[in-house]
C-alpha cells in the first residue's frame, strides 16, 4: 500500500518562532532578543508573578476535583472577566461569557460564531495586525478584509484613511476587529477622541465591533486601557470582546482567555451563549481549569488582587522606562534619527522603523534579534546594556 503522508509538503516555519530558535543557538554572549512576544523582566526572564504563585499554593490546598468544567467554563472566572472588561456599564443579562483557551481560542470561537450565526459577515482587520488574526479568522470560516491603520511614516495612525475605509468599504453586519489597546505589532493606538469617532462610524455603519483585548494594563493602566472599549460599548448595542490573561497575569502557557459577547437583549444573549457553547463543544469540549482558577483565586482575594495590580504596574512601568532610556540613548548617538515617537506608543511592541535589511544586519553583525517588519519588543531590552544597544542600532542605521 502506498503511504498517504509521503507527499505532504513542509509548511513554512513561523517567522517569529524561527528567530527564537536562531537566538537560542547563537553563541555570542552579548546577544539580545527583541523579537519575542512575551514580557521579560530586568534579568531577561518571563517570571511567574508572585500573586500567581500564591494563588496556586492556595489552589493546591483547596482544589477538590479535576472534573470537567462546564462548556462555558468556571463561573467565578467568568464573572471576574466580566468586571475587568465591562465594569458595571452593561447589564449582566445582556452578556454571554465563555472562558476560552487564551486570546487565540477566544478569537477562534468568536470567528466561528460570526461565520455560523452572522453570515454573510466579513471581518475587517487593521493593516497591519497581529499575524495570527488573519489565519485564525480564515480557519474559522470568515472572509477577511482589511482597513487602513498605520500611516506611511510607519509610526502613527492614518486616522483619516481608517475612518474612510470603515465607512466606505464595509456593509452593515460586517465585523471590524479593533485592538482595544497596545496595538500589536505597532504600539500605535487611537486617542480617546479618535475612539469616539471610530465608535460613531462603527455604529452608524451597523458594524459589529470585535475587540481584541490582550494587553489590559500594559498601556496606561487597567482602567485607562479599557477606555476605547467602553467608548465603543457606549455607542454600539452589540459587540464581542476577546480577552486574554496571558500577558497581564503572565499565564502564557496556561491558556486563559474569554469571549464576552454583548447582545441587545437578554433573550439574544441567552441564544448567543447557547451557540457559543455549541462551537466550544465541537472544538475542545470545555476549557482547561487551572489558569482560570488562578485568575479567579487572585481576584477573589483582596490581598492577592492588590499584589496583582502592583506587579502589573511594575511591568508597565518597566516598559515605559525602557522606552525613555532607549529614546534618550539614541539621542546621544551622533547622526541617528529621532526616536521620540516610541514614547507615544503603547504596550510591549513598537515599529522601530528598521527595514528588513537593517534588522538582518542587526542580527548577523551584532546579535540583536528584531522581526523583519522592524517590530521590537521593548521588554526584551536590557537597561544595563542600553548604551551598547543604541550604538549597534545607530551602526546599522548609518
Ligand atoms: N491578540 C493579540 C493582539 C496578541 O498579541 C496575542 C498574543 O500575542 C493574542 C491575541 C493571543 O494571546 P494568547 O496567548 O492568550 O492566545
Amino acid at each position: 500500500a502506498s503511504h498517504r503522508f509521503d507527499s505532504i509538503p513542509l509548511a513554512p516555519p513561523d517567522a517569529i518562532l524561527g528567530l527564537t530558535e536562531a537566538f537560542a543557538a547563537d553563541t555570542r554572549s552579548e546577544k539580545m532578543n527583541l523579537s519575542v512576544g512575551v514580557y521579560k523582566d530586568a534579568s531577561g526572564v518571563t517570571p511567574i508573578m508572585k500573586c500567581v504563585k500564591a494563588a496556586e499554593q492556595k489552589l493546591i490546598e483547596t482544589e477538590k476535583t479535576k472534573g470537567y468544567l462546564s462548556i462555558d467554563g468556571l463561573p467565578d472566572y467568568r464573572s471576574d472577566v466580566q468586571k475587568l472588561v465591562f465594569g458595571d456599564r452593561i447589564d449582566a443579562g445582556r452578556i454571554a461569557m465563555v472562558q476560552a483557551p487564551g486570546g487565540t481560542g477566544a478569537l477562534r470561537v468568536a470567528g466561528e460564531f460570526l461565520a455560523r450565526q452572522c453570515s454573510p459577515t466579513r471581518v475587517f482587520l487593521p493593516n497591519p495586525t497581529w499575524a495570527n488574526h488573519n489565519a485564525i479568522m480564515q480557519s474559522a470560516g470568515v472572509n477577511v478584509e482589511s482597513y487602513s491603520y498605520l500611516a506611511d511614516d510607519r509610526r502613527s495612525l492614518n486616522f483619516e484613511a481608517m475612518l474612510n475605509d470603515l465607512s466606505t468599504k464595509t456593509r452593515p453586519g460586517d465585523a471590524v476587529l479593533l485592538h482595544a489597546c497596545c496595538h500589536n505589532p505597532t504600539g500605535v493606538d487611537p486617542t480617546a477622541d479618535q475612539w469616539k469617532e471610530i465608535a460613531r462610524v462603527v455604529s452608524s455603519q451597523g458594524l459589529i465591533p470585535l475587540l481584541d483585548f490582550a494587553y489590559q494594563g500594559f498601556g496606561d493602566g487597567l482602567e485607562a486601557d479599557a477606555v476605547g472599549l467602553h467608548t465603543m460599548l457606549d455607542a454600539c448595542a452589540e459587540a464581542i470582546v476577546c480577552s486574554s490573561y496571558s500577558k497581564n497575569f503572565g499565564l502564557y502557557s496556561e491558556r486563559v482567555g474569554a469571549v464576552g459577547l454583548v447582545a441587545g437583549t437578554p433573550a439574544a444573549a441567552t441564544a448567543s451563549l447557547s451557540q457559543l457553547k455549541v462551537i466550544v463543544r465541537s472544538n475542545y469540549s470545555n476549557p482547561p481549569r487551572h489558569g482560570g482558577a488562578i485568575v479567579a483565586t487572585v481576584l477573589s482575594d483582596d490581598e492577592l488582587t492588590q499584589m496583582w495590580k502592583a506587579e502589573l504596574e511594575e511591568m508597565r512601568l518597566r516598559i515605559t522606562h525602557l522606552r525613555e532610556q532607549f529614546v534618550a540613548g539614541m539621542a546621544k548617538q551622533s547622526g541617528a534619527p529621532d526616536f521620540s515617537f516610541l514614547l507615544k506608543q503603547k504596550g510591549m511592541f513598537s515599529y522601530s522603523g528598521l527595514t528588513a535589511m537593517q534588522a538582518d544586519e542587526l542580527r548577523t553583525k551584532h546579535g540583536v534579534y528584531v522581526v523583519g517588519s522592524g517590530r521590537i519588543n521593548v521588554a526584551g531590552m536590557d537597561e544595563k546594556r542600553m548604551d551598547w544597544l543604541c550604538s549597534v542600532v545607530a551602526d546599522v542605521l548609518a
Side-chain angles (χ1 to χ4, degrees), residues 48-59 294 298 304:
I48 300 178
M49 293 171 85
K50 292 190 201 77
C51 63
V52 164
K53 269 288 184 205
E56 286 185 309
Q57 215 90 52
K58 217 168 150 177
L59 278 173
I294 292 171
V298 170
L304 291 183

Side-chain angles (χ1 to χ4, degrees), residues 374-398:
R375 184 193 82 165
I376 50 172
N377 177 358
V378 177
M381 293 177 178
D382 177 353
E383 56 191 318
K384 295 186 293 296
R385 294 193 295 137
M386 196 58 92
D387 287 339
W388 173 79
L389 175 64
C390 293
S391 70
V392 299
V393 169
D395 176 57
V396 303
L397 286 173

Side-chain angles (χ1 to χ4, degrees), residues 37 101-105 107 129-130 133 179 182-184 212-215 243-247 252 255-257 349 375:
T104 305
L107 286 161
T129 193
W130 180 45
H133 277 150
H179 296 232
C182 306
H183 182 275
N184 177 9
D212 185 344
F213 204 16
Y215 297 93
S243 56
S244 162
Y245 302 92
S246 301
K247 320 285 151 69
Y252 303 88
R255 313 309 299 135
V256 204
F349 304 117
R375 184 193 82 165

Side-chain angles (χ1 to χ4, degrees), residues 45-120:
V45 301
T46 303
I48 300 178
M49 293 171 85
K50 292 190 201 77
C51 63
V52 164
K53 269 288 184 205
E56 286 185 309
Q57 215 90 52
K58 217 168 150 177
L59 278 173
I60 296 244
E61 284 157 23
T62 57
E63 208 167 47
K64 294 203 177 54
T65 180
K66 294 287 186 190
Y68 291 125
L69 296 185
S70 59
I71 297 173
D72 50 358
L74 209 59
D76 288 349
Y77 170 77
R78 285 185 289 128
S79 61
D80 288 333
V81 168
Q82 198 166 305
K83 273 182 237 140
L84 273 177
V85 171
F86 299 110
D88 52 11
R89 57 203 318 118
I90 308 280
D91 171 24
R94 282 175 50 212
I95 301 173
M97 180 65 75
V98 165
Q99 181 182 342
T104 305
L107 286 161
R108 173 65 186 245
V109 170
E112 283 192 33
F113 180 88
L114 292 171
R116 292 193 201 184
Q117 303 302 330
C118 305
S119 177

